[in-house]
Amino acid sequence: MAPTRVPILERLWKRTVIDEITGCWLYMGCKHNQGYAHIRLPYPSAKVEKVHRVGAMLFLGFKQGDRTIQVNHKRECPNKNCWNPNHLYIGSQRQNVLDTACPTTAKHVGL
């Protein structure tokens, strides 16, 4: 008998802690060496993907595997393991660089 596959959203929530102060959904599972949380997608893909991208796929509506889209954390959310869709936006690399250079990136300033 084949093993039961747990839906991706259920797997995310099992390892998520909500920060009551910031509202971040902090994934406490595996982290990439750059600090980003990641999770293996369900078969047939079975690809390892950054958790904030998976959150954006689930809640902001773009398709898995679309590498033309960049998912950025808002300036007010410096947590690389946050996947709260209210803390993410679809943007460009340029916007991400500008966000990183912004002084408010180092702390939460009310999302």
Side-chain angles (χ1 to χ4, degrees):
M1 180 185 254
T4 305
R5 302 217 194 293
V6 178
I8 191 77
L9 190 54
E10 186 178 329
R11 289 176 47 220
L12 284 169
W13 279 118
K14 277 185 177 179
R15 293 181 181 240
T16 296
V17 173
I18 297 177
D19 184 318
E20 298 293 330
I21 296 169
T22 64
C24 287
W25 299 354
L26 302 172
Y27 185 74
M28 306 310 282
C30 297
K31 289 187 183 173
H32 187 269
N33 61 4
Q34 294 176 336
Y36 289 97
H38 60 92
I39 192 169
R40 186 171 298 280
L41 297 175
Y43 289 94
S45 168
K47 181 177 186 275
V48 173
E49 186 63 82
K50 291 177 182 170
V51 168
H52 70 285
R53 283 188 64 86
V54 175
M57 286 178 213
L58 293 168
F59 296 103
L60 301 180
F62 73 92
K63 294 181 181 176
Q64 175 182 334
D66 187 347
R67 292 292 172 202
T68 64
I69 292 176
Q70 180 160 326
V71 179
N72 298 332
H73 286 90
K74 291 181 179 178
R75 289 180 181 171
E76 301 84 5
C77 182
N79 295 312
K80 293 180 178 182
N81 59 331
C82 177
W83 61 282
N84 181 337
N86 294 319
H87 296 195
L88 306 173
Y89 71 95
I90 307 300
S92 67
Q93 177 62 26
R94 182 174 173 5
Q95 289 171 310
N96 197 30
V97 169
L98 291 172
D99 286 349
T100 303
C102 179
T104 61
T105 304
K107 61 184 183 297
H108 287 274
V109 183
L111 293 166

